[in-house]
């Protein structure tokens, strides 16, 4: 099956032609899969789809821009920067949607590093290449709101309504500019309740609508929508305190002093990694900033390499037949394998800051 693709001005791909010459166009399907919005809880799978697609088509700037966008949600600043720079380089001599998408990706990098004036330039350049590029509209408007330039932001969002009414009105509600016509809110609610890859309902829209109805003093309607959104969010939460408590106990029972004593020669002697651990909102970012103030230390943000290795171990052991899941499956790891895993972590950290003596990974749940 062979698919041809075109891109609209949002940078999205659309199938325009289909033939069946007898072969399967793996690269085409991977590209198409990578353009789909990630389902709740499937951000890692979305990242994997994009990376696999890039292995087949490494010169696709749209995929690099998408990788940068997803990387921002994964708190992976180095990944975001490299992906955005690749997208920008690949579109250096291009115009239109692809160039706009790359510029918006670079705007995200600039905002992450607090270079807000540079971010504004990127957004405006993107709109010069593609005047109806929705992410550029929303990004620039959000930036203007951040600066307190509310009237400019509102004017931009009002123009956005003509491109995408739902996104435009949603942005206006965030800017505390509520539609006066209740029919507009009713129509947005119909869209919010349509099942999609994002889930049975679009909870972010429902929360915006709740805010709008509260503004119109229809508190019963506001509570109804907020309750619907909360109920939908709860269905996506897999956390159970009892399960987490059992996992913590199993980790303590596995990684004992005797366990480490028996594996004193395992791993790698490098002192490059520095892990900042703790509960969320406990000050891990501040600790990283203090440590990263030293010129020889690089703060890489929340990387999460170790959690990926834990997942790999669990999957690998299931395939070998031992059926021992994490953390018990670490008993199967050999000295050679532990060194290979350590090298994998070190390789990724070195790529982020080749000259640094230490690189900080501050993902709290690395514990």
């Amino acid at each position: 099956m062979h698919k041809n693709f075109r891109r609209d001005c949002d940078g999205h791909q659309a199938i325009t032609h289909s033939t069946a010459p007898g072969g399967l166009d793996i690269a085409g399907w991977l590209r198409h899969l990578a353009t789909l919005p990630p389902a709740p809880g499937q951000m890692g799978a979305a990242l994997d789809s994009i990376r696999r697609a890039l292995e087949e088509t490494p010169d696709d700037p749209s995929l690099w821009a998408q990788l940068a966008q997803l990387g921002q949600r994964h708190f992976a600043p180095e990944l975001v920067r490299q992906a955005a720079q690749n997208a920008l380089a690949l579109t250096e001599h291009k115009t239109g949607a692809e160039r706009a998408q790359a510029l918006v990706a670079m705007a995200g990098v600039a905002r992450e590093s607090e270079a807000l004036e540079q971010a504004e330039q990127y957004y405006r350049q993107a709109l010069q290449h593609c005047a109806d590029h929705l992410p550029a509209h929303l990004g620039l408007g959000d930036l203007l709101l951040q600066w307190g330039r509310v009237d400019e932001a509102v004017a931009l969002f009002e123009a956005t309504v003509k491109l995408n009414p739902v996104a435009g009105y949603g942005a206006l509600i965030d800017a505390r500019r509520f539609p006066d016509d209740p029919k507009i809110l009713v129509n947005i609610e119909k869209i919010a309740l349509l099942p999609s890859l994002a889930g049975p309902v679009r909870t972010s829209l429902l929360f915006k609508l709740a805010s709008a109805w509260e503004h119109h003093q229809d508190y019963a309607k506001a509570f109804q929508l907020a309750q619907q959104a909360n109920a939908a969010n709860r269905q996506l939460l897999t956390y159970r305190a009892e399960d987490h408590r059992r996992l913590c106990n199993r980790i303590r029972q596995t990684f004992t002093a005797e366990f480490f004593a028996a594996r004193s020669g395992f791993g790698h002697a490098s002192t490059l990694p520095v892990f900042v651990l703790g509960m969320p909102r406990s000050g891990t970012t501040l600790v990283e900033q203090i440590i990263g103030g030293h010129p020889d230390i690089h703060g890489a943000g929340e990387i999460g390499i170790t959690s990926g290795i834990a997942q790999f171990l669990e999957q690998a052991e299931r395939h070998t037949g031992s059926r021992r899941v994490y953390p018990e499956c670490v008993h199967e790891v050999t000295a050679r394998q532990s060194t290979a895993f350590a090298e994998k972590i070190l390789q990724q950290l070195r790529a982020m800051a080749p000259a640094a003596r230490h690189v900080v990974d501050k993902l709290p749940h690395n514990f």
Side-chain angles (χ1 to χ4, degrees):
M1 183 70 68
H2 179 69
K3 302 286 183 181
N4 291 328
F5 296 87
R6 64 172 173 80
R7 284 190 177 85
D8 59 24
C9 215
D10 286 340
H12 298 125
Q13 289 178 335
I15 301 173
T16 58
H17 182 62
S18 174
T19 59
L24 181 64
D25 181 11
I26 299 297
W29 277 109
L30 284 171
R31 285 197 302 272
H32 186 52
L33 181 63
T35 63
L36 298 176
Q42 298 298 316
M43 203 70 71
L47 276 172
D48 181 61
S49 295
I50 292 179
R51 285 180 170 132
R52 289 173 60 199
L54 281 169
E55 289 176 2
E56 299 288 338
T57 53
D59 294 332
D60 189 328
S62 178
L63 288 175
W64 284 112
Q66 288 174 264
L67 183 62
Q69 182 183 28
L70 276 180
Q72 287 179 328
R73 303 187 201 179
H74 267 253
F75 306 104
E78 294 300 326
L79 169 68
V80 171
R81 183 178 296 106
Q82 187 61 59
Q85 289 173 345
N86 288 350
L88 198 67
L90 289 168
T91 58
E92 183 178 1
H93 303 295
K94 294 185 177 183
T95 59
E98 285 189 325
R99 184 62 174 176
Q101 197 175 16
L103 288 163
V104 168
M106 285 303 301
V109 173
R111 293 184 71 167
E112 186 67 27
S113 60
E114 298 297 326
L116 302 185
E117 290 81 6
Q118 183 66 59
E120 181 185 13
Q121 292 179 23
Y122 283 130
Y123 283 132
R124 294 195 184 280
Q125 289 174 28
L127 290 172
Q128 289 174 2
H129 283 275
C130 188
D132 58 352
H133 191 67
L134 183 61
H137 272 258
L138 297 175
L140 179 57
D142 181 68
L143 185 61
L144 293 171
L145 277 182
Q146 186 176 340
W147 280 332
R149 293 156 61 179
V150 179
D151 291 340
E152 292 179 65
V154 168
L156 190 62
F157 292 149
E158 287 173 345
T160 306
V161 169
K162 299 175 183 178
L163 304 176
N164 187 311
V166 173
Y169 281 121
L172 285 169
I173 291 172
D174 285 338
R176 311 302 293 173
R177 296 296 192 274
F178 302 98
D180 293 325
D181 186 354
K183 292 182 181 178
I184 294 175
L185 300 180
V186 171
N187 287 333
I188 295 176
E189 182 179 349
K190 291 177 181 178
I191 294 172
L193 296 176
L194 288 175
S196 68
L197 286 174
V201 299
R202 295 174 62 176
T203 56
S204 61
L205 270 183
L206 291 178
F207 281 124
K208 292 177 192 291
L209 289 169
S211 178
W213 284 114
E214 179 187 10
H215 171 77
H216 289 299
Q217 298 184 347
D218 190 337
Y219 303 116
K221 183 66 174 178
F223 268 108
Q224 175 199 341
L225 292 169
Q227 287 174 334
Q228 278 183 280
N230 282 322
N233 278 341
R234 277 194 294 271
Q235 291 178 359
L236 301 174
L237 294 176
T238 58
Y239 175 82
R240 291 179 177 81
E242 316 83 61
D243 294 342
H244 186 70
R245 190 176 296 111
R246 279 195 291 269
L247 173 61
C248 290
N249 286 334
R250 287 166 51 208
I251 289 174
R252 283 195 292 270
Q253 292 164 6
T254 299
F255 295 100
T256 62
E258 293 76 17
F259 175 90
F260 287 111
R263 292 163 177 79
S264 59
F266 279 41
H268 197 290
S270 172
T271 60
L272 179 70
V274 176
F275 297 102
V276 178
L277 315 177
M279 296 303 295
R281 319 307 302 172
S282 63
T284 53
T285 301
L286 177 60
V287 172
E288 181 202 34
Q289 290 173 345
I290 293 171
I291 299 173
H294 193 285
D296 293 336
I297 300 177
H298 174 72
E302 299 181 346
I303 305 173
I305 302 173
T306 54
S307 59
I309 290 177
Q311 293 171 5
F312 172 81
L313 282 172
E314 182 166 328
Q315 294 169 2
E317 293 305 328
R318 287 176 177 174
H319 285 298
T320 60
S322 70
R323 303 299 178 184
R324 301 177 81 177
V325 298
Y326 185 83
E328 289 82 7
C329 66
V330 297
H331 286 284
E332 311 292 333
V333 175
T334 65
R336 183 177 179 181
Q337 288 173 328
S338 73
T339 302
F341 289 135
E343 282 288 359
K344 181 178 180 181
I345 293 176
L346 292 170
Q347 182 180 3
Q348 294 188 51
L349 295 180
R350 289 192 196 104
M352 295 177 181
R357 288 176 54 192
H358 301 288
V359 178
V360 182
D361 176 1
K362 75 166 198 71
L363 184 67
H365 279 79
N366 270 334
F367 69 80

